[in-house]
Amino acid sequence: DTEVTQTPKHLVMGMTNKKSLKCEQHMGHRAMYWYKQKAKKPPELMFVYSYEKLSINESVPSRFSPECPNSSLLNLHLHALQPEDSALYLCASSPWESGRGETQYFGPGTRLLVL
Amino acid sequence: GQQVMQIPQYQHVQEGEDFTTYCNSSTTLSNIQWYKQRPGGHPVFLIQLVKSGEVKKQKRLTFQFGEAKKNSSLHITATQTTDVGTYFCAGQTLSGTYKYIFGTGTRLKVLA
């Protein structure tokens, strides 16, 4: 199984809502990532978890809160978002054998619209 | 800051023509990956290059990693309509803290 799954596929939320994005992989990978991608732009790294611990936070605003309940699951909790946070949110995973710069396997993403 | 630029930004080709995208990093990379993202899709891994000067082929695709490990190229021979999408390079910087950076991307359109 070389798939990374993400739910929901689409999400519309108001600025006062609280919602969560979910990601799951069953490849035995020990690193999981959250990316944000705006239209016609490359993915921007937000967070990296390795061995279920947050190893990188790319100065992401606190209205985005990641969580890694176990090695297969990754959540992104959203609260008080702004319209400019509307984007495609991509989850990825990698084996973390070499620790860094590995090939990443991406999920299909969640298209988020903040009204 | 550290940047990975790709040129061209856009390319329209007639089906059957060749296509090349170039990836240039401001800093040395430990390795480089290439991804393809179809319109409305997500990045899909194509290949990884690790060694200086490495060349790899996948059917009609040829990938090259520069000698200085600061640039790379992807060449597609005889494009097909299925090649449509955005091609991203991505790499791990060698200096300082972990920095995995995506290139700016090249969007390819193939006209039938």
Side-chain angles (χ1 to χ4, degrees):
Chain A
D1 185 358
T2 57
E3 198 179 48
V4 177
T5 58
Q6 288 187 243
T7 56
K9 287 186 180 179
H10 302 274
L11 179 62
V12 179
M13 60 187 289
M15 289 189 283
T16 57
N17 293 158
K18 280 186 183 181
K19 295 286 184 183
S20 296
L21 309 184
K22 295 185 183 303
C23 174
E24 189 167 5
Q25 57 91 11
H26 292 290
M27 294 180 276
H29 287 174
R30 303 318 299 261
M32 295 186 78
Y33 309 75
W34 279 116
Y35 285 86
K36 174 183 177 181
Q37 186 178 28
K38 300 282 262 186
K40 300 181 184 180
K41 295 291 184 184
E44 289 177 50
L45 184 64
M46 300 173 73
F47 302 103
V48 181
Y49 273 82
S50 54
Y51 289 88
E52 299 157 48
K53 287 188 166 46
L54 183 65
S55 56
I56 293 173
N57 175 342
E58 291 285 356
S59 304
V60 178
S62 60
R63 57 186 185 268
F64 295 92
S65 174
E67 179 198 16
C68 189
N70 61 54
S71 60
S72 300
L73 292 173
L74 186 66
N75 299 322
L76 186 63
H77 302 297
L78 314 173
H79 174 55
L81 295 194
Q82 303 296 310
E84 58 265 27
D85 296 321
S86 299
L88 177 67
Y89 287 84
L90 293 160
C91 173
S93 70
S94 73
W96 204 252
E97 288 164 355
S98 54
R100 293 177 179 182
E102 296 184 315
T103 298
Q104 296 177 27
Y105 297 87
F106 284 83
T110 294
R111 294 198 180 272
L112 174 67
L113 178 62
V114 182
L115 299 175
Chain B
Q2 294 155 332
Q3 287 187 319
V4 179
M5 304 295 292
Q6 284 182 249
I7 52 170
Q9 193 175 0
Y10 304 97
Q11 182 88 59
H12 292 187
V13 299
Q14 285 292 137
E15 190 174 22
E17 289 181 341
D18 292 357
F19 159 77
T20 304
T21 172
Y22 298 92
C23 171
N24 299 297
S25 171
S26 60
T27 186
T28 306
L29 302 171
S30 63
N31 56 33
I32 201 156
Q33 287 91 28
W34 283 92
Y35 296 85
K36 177 184 177 182
Q37 186 170 18
R38 287 202 161 97
H42 59 279
V44 174
F45 170 70
L46 294 176
I47 209 156
Q48 174 170 276
L49 303 168
V50 178
K51 298 176 186 172
S52 169
E54 189 170 12
V55 177
K56 284 189 176 180
K57 292 193 175 188
Q58 273 182 359
K59 297 182 181 178
R60 295 179 295 105
L61 278 58
T62 302
F63 304 83
Q64 192 163 9
F65 201 9
E67 293 291 341
K69 300 183 84 172
K70 293 178 78 171
N71 52 62
S72 181
S73 64
L74 157 59
H75 179 83
I76 302 178
T77 304
T79 54
Q80 299 174 358
T81 53
T82 52
D83 295 326
V84 164
T86 301
Y87 293 85
F88 291 104
C89 62
Q92 166 67 48
T93 59
L94 275 179
S95 58
T97 56
Y98 176 99
K99 200 74 180 175
Y100 188 76
I101 307 176
F102 271 78
T104 49
T106 294
R107 197 178 319 159
L108 174 64
K109 278 195 176 178
V110 180
L111 307 171

